[in-house]
Amino acid sequence: GIQVEQSPPDLILQEGANSTLRCNFSDSVNNLQWFHQNPWGQLINLFYIPSGTKQNGRLSATTVATERYSLLYISSSQTTDSGVYFCAPKGDSGYALNFGKGTSLLVTP
Amino acid sequence: EPEVTQTPSHQVTQMGQEVILRCVPISNHLYFYWYRQILGQKVEFLVSFYNNEISEKSEIFDDQFSVERPDGSNFTLKIRSTKLEDSAMYFCASMLGTEAFFGQGTRLTVV
């Protein structure tokens, strides 16, 4: 299956700081989603972004499918942004999203 | 807003027992999935289900696992004889065509 690498694995930010999370994938994709796993374990949809750029409030995401990477930008971080961020692309062949190992984010007051 | 619902939220079972995890996908969705997440690890794909049959399964989905869509609304995962290493959070997901939505998960603990 498609290989997914996320960086950095861990990140500590002070409230108000900005950050960029990266996701590299090994094959061409027709679907890519970003999720936030909150402290209760729920997977919250952030973006469906197989290509292009989208923004939702303080978050935005960009996928450059031809270069096989996606970026998630968090601006003016808040303590509620803490949790694990997963990138999950789906290859052109196959039905499943393939999750990376995630970036564990801690935002401190 | 439509959502995927899973029951139970927590289940504790003895090793060797059978468990059934239940999911109600979003009503007009066509693709259904089970994933699992062992504590502290990444989310792993188990199986996808489309048009009343398994469309893809991972190496994890061996003979002890089965899935069923017994009626028009429920989607179940059965683990026939649980092992300690089956302890994990199990997520159900559904998709219409593009974006997948996940349930809140069932935490399974095998003792």
Side-chain angles (χ1 to χ4, degrees):
Chain A
I2 191 167
Q3 304 301 308
V4 184
E5 288 185 12
Q6 290 188 242
S7 59
D10 301 282
L11 185 59
I12 300 176
L13 296 176
Q14 199 153 26
E15 206 167 20
N18 304 326
S19 63
T20 301
L21 281 55
R22 186 175 179 101
C23 171
N24 293 331
F25 43 92
S26 62
D27 213 340
S28 56
V29 301
N30 57 23
N31 183 349
L32 189 143
Q33 293 184 235
W34 281 95
F35 297 90
H36 175 216
Q37 187 166 42
N38 65 21
W40 297 271
Q42 292 178 300
L43 289 168
I44 309 299
N45 286 42
L46 295 178
F47 293 101
Y48 163 74
I49 186 160
S51 63
T53 296
K54 288 186 179 179
Q55 180 152 8
N56 184 3
R58 296 181 296 104
L59 302 183
S60 64
T62 294
T63 297
V64 184
T66 52
E67 297 187 22
R68 299 182 183 171
Y69 73 89
S70 184
L71 302 173
L72 178 70
Y73 305 96
I74 304 175
S75 65
S76 304
S77 57
Q78 300 176 358
T79 56
T80 52
D81 295 331
S82 296
V84 183
Y85 290 81
F86 289 106
C87 164
K90 183 173 82 66
D92 286 342
S93 62
Y95 292 82
L97 294 174
N98 296 270
F99 282 73
K101 292 184 178 181
T103 292
S104 180
L105 174 64
L106 176 64
V107 181
T108 60
Chain B
E1 184 175 319
E3 59 181 14
V4 178
T5 56
Q6 292 185 240
T7 54
S9 55
H10 296 90
Q11 176 139 11
V12 180
T13 189
Q14 287 203 322
M15 193 168 54
Q17 294 297 302
E18 175 184 286
V19 294
I20 297 176
L21 309 183
R22 302 181 190 278
C23 170
V24 179
I26 296 173
S27 63
N28 62 336
H29 283 193
L30 301 175
Y31 300 85
F32 312 110
Y33 304 86
W34 285 101
Y35 290 79
R36 79 172 186 190
Q37 185 181 32
I38 295 171
L39 188 64
Q41 299 186 22
K42 70 175 186 178
V43 179
E44 300 174 292
F45 166 69
L46 293 179
V47 65
S48 61
F49 194 85
Y50 170 70
N51 202 23
N52 287 319
E53 61 183 20
I54 291 173
S55 49
E56 187 179 4
K57 60 183 181 179
S58 72
E59 293 176 352
I60 303 169
F61 194 87
D62 61 21
D63 291 345
Q64 70 163 337
F65 291 94
S66 62
V67 290
E68 220 178 24
R69 188 156 162 80
D71 53 41
S73 60
N74 292 286
F75 180 50
T76 61
L77 174 69
K78 182 191 291 187
I79 309 175
R80 196 182 342 272
S81 177
T82 50
K83 306 171 190 168
L84 294 177
E85 54 264 37
D86 293 327
S87 295
M89 179 79 95
Y90 288 80
F91 291 103
C92 172
S94 71
M95 182 171 75
L96 178 57
T98 54
E99 187 174 1
F101 292 87
F102 284 71
Q104 82 280 17
T106 292
R107 181 162 298 285
L108 176 66
T109 302
V110 182
V111 297

Short mmCIF file of all heavy atoms in Angstrom, two decimals, chain A residues 40-89:
data_model
loop_
_atom_site.label_atom_id
_atom_site.label_comp_id
_atom_site.label_asym_id
_atom_site.label_seq_id
_atom_site.Cartn_x
_atom_site.Cartn_y
_atom_site.Cartn_z
N TRP A 40 -10.04 12.61 23.60
CA TRP A 40 -11.00 11.53 23.82
C TRP A 40 -10.92 10.44 22.75
O TRP A 40 -11.67 9.49 22.77
CB TRP A 40 -12.43 12.10 23.89
CG TRP A 40 -12.58 13.03 25.04
CD1 TRP A 40 -12.96 12.72 26.31
CD2 TRP A 40 -12.33 14.44 25.03
NE1 TRP A 40 -12.95 13.85 27.09
CE2 TRP A 40 -12.58 14.91 26.35
CE3 TRP A 40 -11.92 15.35 24.06
CZ2 TRP A 40 -12.43 16.25 26.70
CZ3 TRP A 40 -11.77 16.68 24.40
CH2 TRP A 40 -12.02 17.12 25.71
N GLY A 41 -10.01 10.63 21.81
CA GLY A 41 -9.79 9.61 20.79
C GLY A 41 -10.60 9.78 19.52
O GLY A 41 -10.44 9.00 18.58
N GLN A 42 -11.45 10.77 19.49
CA GLN A 42 -12.29 10.96 18.30
C GLN A 42 -11.47 11.50 17.13
O GLN A 42 -10.59 12.34 17.33
CB GLN A 42 -13.43 11.94 18.60
CG GLN A 42 -14.45 11.40 19.56
CD GLN A 42 -15.52 12.43 19.86
OE1 GLN A 42 -15.24 13.50 20.36
NE2 GLN A 42 -16.74 12.11 19.52
N LEU A 43 -11.77 11.02 15.93
CA LEU A 43 -11.14 11.51 14.71
C LEU A 43 -12.05 12.55 14.08
O LEU A 43 -13.14 12.23 13.59
CB LEU A 43 -10.92 10.35 13.73
CG LEU A 43 -9.83 9.35 14.12
CD1 LEU A 43 -9.91 8.11 13.26
CD2 LEU A 43 -8.45 9.99 14.02
N ILE A 44 -11.58 13.78 14.10
CA ILE A 44 -12.36 14.89 13.61
C ILE A 44 -11.86 15.26 12.20
O ILE A 44 -10.66 15.49 12.01
CB ILE A 44 -12.22 16.12 14.53
CG1 ILE A 44 -12.49 15.74 15.99
CG2 ILE A 44 -13.13 17.26 14.06
CD1 ILE A 44 -13.86 15.20 16.25
N ASN A 45 -12.78 15.30 11.25
CA ASN A 45 -12.39 15.70 9.88
C ASN A 45 -11.97 17.17 9.85
O ASN A 45 -12.70 18.04 10.33
CB ASN A 45 -13.58 15.53 8.93
CG ASN A 45 -13.87 14.09 8.60
OD1 ASN A 45 -13.82 13.23 9.47
ND2 ASN A 45 -14.17 13.82 7.34
N LEU A 46 -10.79 17.41 9.29
CA LEU A 46 -10.35 18.79 9.11
C LEU A 46 -10.51 19.20 7.64
O LEU A 46 -11.12 20.21 7.35
CB LEU A 46 -8.89 18.94 9.53
CG LEU A 46 -8.59 18.71 11.02
CD1 LEU A 46 -7.09 18.84 11.27
CD2 LEU A 46 -9.38 19.66 11.89
N PHE A 47 -9.91 18.42 6.76
CA PHE A 47 -9.94 18.76 5.34
C PHE A 47 -10.01 17.48 4.49
O PHE A 47 -9.39 16.47 4.82
CB PHE A 47 -8.69 19.53 4.90
CG PHE A 47 -8.56 20.89 5.49
CD1 PHE A 47 -7.72 21.12 6.57
CD2 PHE A 47 -9.27 21.96 4.96
CE1 PHE A 47 -7.60 22.37 7.13
CE2 PHE A 47 -9.16 23.22 5.51
CZ PHE A 47 -8.32 23.44 6.59
N TYR A 48 -10.80 17.59 3.42
CA TYR A 48 -10.71 16.65 2.30
C TYR A 48 -9.99 17.43 1.21
O TYR A 48 -10.52 18.42 0.70
CB TYR A 48 -12.10 16.21 1.86
CG TYR A 48 -12.11 15.58 0.48
CD1 TYR A 48 -11.62 14.29 0.31
CD2 TYR A 48 -12.59 16.27 -0.62
CE1 TYR A 48 -11.62 13.71 -0.94
CE2 TYR A 48 -12.58 15.69 -1.87
CZ TYR A 48 -12.09 14.42 -2.04
OH TYR A 48 -12.08 13.84 -3.28
N ILE A 49 -8.75 17.02 0.88
CA ILE A 49 -7.95 17.87 0.00
C ILE A 49 -7.01 17.04 -0.88
O ILE A 49 -5.79 16.98 -0.63
CB ILE A 49 -7.21 18.96 0.82
CG1 ILE A 49 -6.50 19.93 -0.10
CG2 ILE A 49 -6.29 18.35 1.88
CD1 ILE A 49 -6.16 21.26 0.51
N PRO A 50 -7.55 16.39 -1.92
CA PRO A 50 -6.69 15.62 -2.82
C PRO A 50 -5.75 16.49 -3.65
O PRO A 50 -4.73 16.01 -4.15
CB PRO A 50 -7.68 14.87 -3.72
CG PRO A 50 -8.94 15.67 -3.63
CD PRO A 50 -8.96 16.29 -2.27
N SER A 51 -6.08 17.77 -3.80
CA SER A 51 -5.20 18.71 -4.49
C SER A 51 -5.65 20.12 -4.13
O SER A 51 -6.76 20.32 -3.64
CB SER A 51 -5.26 18.50 -6.00
OG SER A 51 -6.56 18.78 -6.48
N GLY A 52 -4.75 21.08 -4.36
CA GLY A 52 -5.12 22.47 -4.15
C GLY A 52 -4.99 22.93 -2.71
O GLY A 52 -4.31 22.31 -1.91
N THR A 53 -5.64 24.04 -2.42
CA THR A 53 -5.56 24.68 -1.10
C THR A 53 -6.95 24.98 -0.60
O THR A 53 -7.82 25.38 -1.35
CB THR A 53 -4.76 26.00 -1.21
OG1 THR A 53 -3.42 25.70 -1.60
CG2 THR A 53 -4.74 26.74 0.13
N LYS A 54 -7.13 24.75 0.72
CA LYS A 54 -8.39 25.08 1.38
C LYS A 54 -8.09 25.76 2.70
O LYS A 54 -7.05 25.52 3.31
CB LYS A 54 -9.22 23.82 1.65
CG LYS A 54 -9.83 23.19 0.42
CD LYS A 54 -10.74 22.04 0.81
CE LYS A 54 -11.37 21.42 -0.41
NZ LYS A 54 -12.25 20.26 -0.05
N GLN A 55 -9.00 26.60 3.12
CA GLN A 55 -8.85 27.26 4.42
C GLN A 55 -10.14 27.11 5.21
O GLN A 55 -11.25 27.16 4.65
CB GLN A 55 -8.54 28.74 4.23
CG GLN A 55 -8.36 29.49 5.54
CD GLN A 55 -7.44 30.69 5.42
OE1 GLN A 55 -7.04 31.08 4.35
NE2 GLN A 55 -7.10 31.27 6.56
N ASN A 56 -9.97 26.93 6.52
CA ASN A 56 -11.11 26.87 7.42
C ASN A 56 -10.69 27.54 8.72
O ASN A 56 -10.05 26.93 9.58
CB ASN A 56 -11.54 25.42 7.66
CG ASN A 56 -12.79 25.33 8.51
OD1 ASN A 56 -13.37 26.36 8.88
ND2 ASN A 56 -13.22 24.13 8.82
N GLY A 57 -11.03 28.80 8.85
CA GLY A 57 -10.65 29.55 10.04
C GLY A 57 -9.15 29.68 10.16
O GLY A 57 -8.48 30.15 9.24
N ARG A 58 -8.61 29.23 11.31
CA ARG A 58 -7.16 29.33 11.54
C ARG A 58 -6.37 28.22 10.86
O ARG A 58 -5.15 28.22 10.88
CB ARG A 58 -6.89 29.29 13.04
CG ARG A 58 -7.47 30.46 13.83
CD ARG A 58 -7.12 30.34 15.30
NE ARG A 58 -7.75 29.17 15.91
CZ ARG A 58 -7.10 28.06 16.20
NH1 ARG A 58 -5.79 27.94 15.96
NH2 ARG A 58 -7.75 27.04 16.77
N LEU A 59 -7.06 27.26 10.29
CA LEU A 59 -6.39 26.13 9.64
C LEU A 59 -6.48 26.27 8.13
O LEU A 59 -7.49 26.75 7.60
CB LEU A 59 -7.05 24.81 10.05
CG LEU A 59 -7.12 24.47 11.53
CD1 LEU A 59 -7.74 23.09 11.71
CD2 LEU A 59 -5.76 24.50 12.16
N SER A 60 -5.41 25.84 7.49
CA SER A 60 -5.45 25.72 6.03
C SER A 60 -4.61 24.53 5.62
O SER A 60 -3.77 24.06 6.40
CB SER A 60 -4.97 27.00 5.34
OG SER A 60 -3.61 27.23 5.64
N ALA A 61 -4.87 24.03 4.44
CA ALA A 61 -4.14 22.87 3.95
C ALA A 61 -3.87 23.02 2.47
O ALA A 61 -4.68 23.62 1.75
CB ALA A 61 -4.93 21.58 4.21
N THR A 62 -2.73 22.48 2.07
CA THR A 62 -2.34 22.49 0.66
C THR A 62 -1.84 21.11 0.30
O THR A 62 -1.03 20.53 1.04
CB THR A 62 -1.22 23.51 0.41
OG1 THR A 62 -1.72 24.82 0.64
CG2 THR A 62 -0.70 23.41 -1.02
N THR A 63 -2.31 20.58 -0.82
CA THR A 63 -1.78 19.32 -1.34
C THR A 63 -1.23 19.57 -2.74
O THR A 63 -1.93 20.13 -3.59
CB THR A 63 -2.87 18.24 -1.41
OG1 THR A 63 -3.31 17.96 -0.08
CG2 THR A 63 -2.33 16.96 -2.02
N VAL A 64 0.02 19.16 -2.94
CA VAL A 64 0.63 19.20 -4.27
C VAL A 64 0.80 17.74 -4.69
O VAL A 64 1.80 17.08 -4.39
CB VAL A 64 1.99 19.93 -4.25
CG1 VAL A 64 2.56 20.02 -5.67
CG2 VAL A 64 1.84 21.32 -3.64
N ALA A 65 -0.23 17.24 -5.36
CA ALA A 65 -0.29 15.81 -5.65
C ALA A 65 0.85 15.37 -6.57
O ALA A 65 1.38 14.27 -6.42
CB ALA A 65 -1.64 15.48 -6.29
N THR A 66 1.25 16.24 -7.49
CA THR A 66 2.32 15.87 -8.44
C THR A 66 3.65 15.70 -7.73
O THR A 66 4.51 14.96 -8.19
CB THR A 66 2.46 16.94 -9.54
OG1 THR A 66 2.60 18.21 -8.90
CG2 THR A 66 1.24 16.93 -10.45
N GLU A 67 3.82 16.39 -6.59
CA GLU A 67 5.06 16.25 -5.82
C GLU A 67 4.87 15.39 -4.58
O GLU A 67 5.77 15.24 -3.78
CB GLU A 67 5.60 17.63 -5.46
CG GLU A 67 5.97 18.45 -6.69
CD GLU A 67 6.66 19.76 -6.34
OE1 GLU A 67 7.22 19.87 -5.23
OE2 GLU A 67 6.61 20.67 -7.19
N ARG A 68 3.68 14.85 -4.41
CA ARG A 68 3.38 13.86 -3.39
C ARG A 68 3.60 14.36 -1.97
O ARG A 68 4.27 13.71 -1.15
CB ARG A 68 4.14 12.56 -3.65
CG ARG A 68 3.72 11.96 -4.99
CD ARG A 68 4.38 10.67 -5.29
NE ARG A 68 3.98 10.18 -6.62
CZ ARG A 68 4.52 9.16 -7.23
NH1 ARG A 68 5.51 8.49 -6.67
NH2 ARG A 68 4.08 8.80 -8.43
N TYR A 69 3.03 15.53 -1.68
CA TYR A 69 3.05 15.99 -0.31
C TYR A 69 1.84 16.86 -0.03
O TYR A 69 1.19 17.39 -0.95
CB TYR A 69 4.34 16.75 0.03
CG TYR A 69 4.46 18.13 -0.58
CD1 TYR A 69 3.96 19.25 0.08
CD2 TYR A 69 5.11 18.31 -1.80
CE1 TYR A 69 4.08 20.51 -0.48
CE2 TYR A 69 5.22 19.57 -2.37
CZ TYR A 69 4.72 20.67 -1.71
OH TYR A 69 4.84 21.91 -2.26
N SER A 70 1.54 16.97 1.25
CA SER A 70 0.48 17.84 1.72
C SER A 70 0.97 18.55 2.98
O SER A 70 1.76 17.99 3.74
CB SER A 70 -0.80 17.04 2.02
OG SER A 70 -1.85 17.88 2.39
N LEU A 71 0.49 19.77 3.17
CA LEU A 71 0.86 20.57 4.33
C LEU A 71 -0.38 21.03 5.06
O LEU A 71 -1.40 21.37 4.43
CB LEU A 71 1.66 21.80 3.89
CG LEU A 71 2.94 21.56 3.09
CD1 LEU A 71 3.51 22.89 2.59
CD2 LEU A 71 3.97 20.82 3.92
N LEU A 72 -0.30 21.04 6.37
CA LEU A 72 -1.37 21.58 7.21
C LEU A 72 -0.79 22.74 8.00
O LEU A 72 0.21 22.57 8.70
CB LEU A 72 -1.92 20.51 8.16
CG LEU A 72 -3.02 20.97 9.12
CD1 LEU A 72 -4.31 21.25 8.35
CD2 LEU A 72 -3.27 19.92 10.20
N TYR A 73 -1.40 23.91 7.85
CA TYR A 73 -0.96 25.10 8.56
C TYR A 73 -1.92 25.40 9.71
O TYR A 73 -3.14 25.40 9.51
CB TYR A 73 -0.97 26.32 7.63
CG TYR A 73 -0.18 26.19 6.37
CD1 TYR A 73 -0.80 25.80 5.19
CD2 TYR A 73 1.18 26.49 6.33
CE1 TYR A 73 -0.09 25.68 4.00
CE2 TYR A 73 1.89 26.37 5.15
CZ TYR A 73 1.26 25.98 3.99
OH TYR A 73 1.97 25.87 2.82
N ILE A 74 -1.34 25.64 10.87
CA ILE A 74 -2.13 26.06 12.01
C ILE A 74 -1.62 27.44 12.41
O ILE A 74 -0.43 27.60 12.74
CB ILE A 74 -2.00 25.10 13.20
CG1 ILE A 74 -2.37 23.67 12.77
CG2 ILE A 74 -2.87 25.55 14.37
CD1 ILE A 74 -2.14 22.62 13.85
N SER A 75 -2.48 28.42 12.38
CA SER A 75 -2.07 29.76 12.77
C SER A 75 -2.69 30.12 14.11
O SER A 75 -3.75 29.61 14.48
CB SER A 75 -2.47 30.78 11.70
OG SER A 75 -3.87 30.86 11.60
N SER A 76 -2.00 30.99 14.84
CA SER A 76 -2.48 31.48 16.15
C SER A 76 -3.00 30.32 17.00
O SER A 76 -4.16 30.30 17.43
CB SER A 76 -3.59 32.52 15.95
OG SER A 76 -3.15 33.57 15.13
N SER A 77 -2.13 29.36 17.25
CA SER A 77 -2.55 28.12 17.91
C SER A 77 -3.17 28.37 19.28
O SER A 77 -2.83 29.35 19.98
CB SER A 77 -1.36 27.17 18.05
OG SER A 77 -0.31 27.77 18.75
N GLN A 78 -4.10 27.50 19.63
CA GLN A 78 -4.79 27.55 20.91
C GLN A 78 -4.61 26.21 21.62
O GLN A 78 -4.33 25.19 20.99
CB GLN A 78 -6.28 27.84 20.68
CG GLN A 78 -6.54 29.15 19.98
CD GLN A 78 -8.00 29.39 19.66
OE1 GLN A 78 -8.85 28.55 19.93
NE2 GLN A 78 -8.29 30.56 19.09
N THR A 79 -4.81 26.22 22.93
CA THR A 79 -4.61 24.98 23.69
C THR A 79 -5.54 23.86 23.21
O THR A 79 -5.19 22.69 23.26
CB THR A 79 -4.82 25.21 25.19
OG1 THR A 79 -6.11 25.76 25.41
CG2 THR A 79 -3.75 26.16 25.76
N THR A 80 -6.69 24.25 22.70
CA THR A 80 -7.64 23.26 22.18
C THR A 80 -7.18 22.61 20.89
O THR A 80 -7.78 21.63 20.43
CB THR A 80 -9.02 23.90 21.96
OG1 THR A 80 -8.85 25.08 21.16
CG2 THR A 80 -9.68 24.26 23.28
N ASP A 81 -6.12 23.14 20.27
CA ASP A 81 -5.55 22.51 19.08
C ASP A 81 -4.71 21.29 19.44
O ASP A 81 -4.31 20.53 18.55
CB ASP A 81 -4.67 23.49 18.30
CG ASP A 81 -5.45 24.66 17.73
OD1 ASP A 81 -6.65 24.49 17.43
OD2 ASP A 81 -4.87 25.75 17.58
N SER A 82 -4.41 21.10 20.70
CA SER A 82 -3.59 19.96 21.12
C SER A 82 -4.24 18.65 20.71
O SER A 82 -5.47 18.54 20.64
CB SER A 82 -3.39 19.98 22.64
OG SER A 82 -2.66 21.13 23.04
N GLY A 83 -3.40 17.67 20.43
CA GLY A 83 -3.88 16.36 19.99
C GLY A 83 -2.96 15.83 18.92
O GLY A 83 -1.86 16.34 18.71
N VAL A 84 -3.43 14.81 18.24
CA VAL A 84 -2.64 14.20 17.17
C VAL A 84 -3.28 14.52 15.83
O VAL A 84 -4.50 14.38 15.68
CB VAL A 84 -2.51 12.68 17.36
CG1 VAL A 84 -1.62 12.08 16.28
CG2 VAL A 84 -1.96 12.35 18.74
N TYR A 85 -2.47 14.93 14.89
CA TYR A 85 -2.93 15.26 13.54
C TYR A 85 -2.49 14.17 12.59
O TYR A 85 -1.30 13.86 12.49
CB TYR A 85 -2.39 16.63 13.10
CG TYR A 85 -3.04 17.75 13.87
CD1 TYR A 85 -2.61 18.07 15.15
CD2 TYR A 85 -4.12 18.45 13.33
CE1 TYR A 85 -3.22 19.08 15.88
CE2 TYR A 85 -4.73 19.47 14.05
CZ TYR A 85 -4.28 19.76 15.32
OH TYR A 85 -4.90 20.75 16.04
N PHE A 86 -3.45 13.59 11.91
CA PHE A 86 -3.17 12.51 10.97
C PHE A 86 -3.46 12.96 9.54
O PHE A 86 -4.47 13.60 9.26
CB PHE A 86 -4.05 11.29 11.26
CG PHE A 86 -3.70 10.54 12.50
CD1 PHE A 86 -4.49 10.64 13.64
CD2 PHE A 86 -2.59 9.71 12.54
CE1 PHE A 86 -4.17 9.94 14.79
CE2 PHE A 86 -2.26 9.00 13.68
CZ PHE A 86 -3.06 9.13 14.82
N CYS A 87 -2.56 12.56 8.66
CA CYS A 87 -2.75 12.68 7.23
C CYS A 87 -3.14 11.29 6.73
O CYS A 87 -2.55 10.29 7.17
CB CYS A 87 -1.44 13.14 6.61
SG CYS A 87 -1.30 12.94 4.84
N ALA A 88 -4.10 11.20 5.81
CA ALA A 88 -4.56 9.90 5.34
C ALA A 88 -4.90 9.98 3.86
O ALA A 88 -6.02 10.35 3.48
CB ALA A 88 -5.78 9.43 6.14
N PRO A 89 -3.92 9.67 3.00
CA PRO A 89 -4.23 9.63 1.58
C PRO A 89 -4.79 8.27 1.16
O PRO A 89 -4.63 7.27 1.87
CB PRO A 89 -2.85 9.84 0.93
CG PRO A 89 -1.87 9.34 1.93
CD PRO A 89 -2.50 9.49 3.30
#
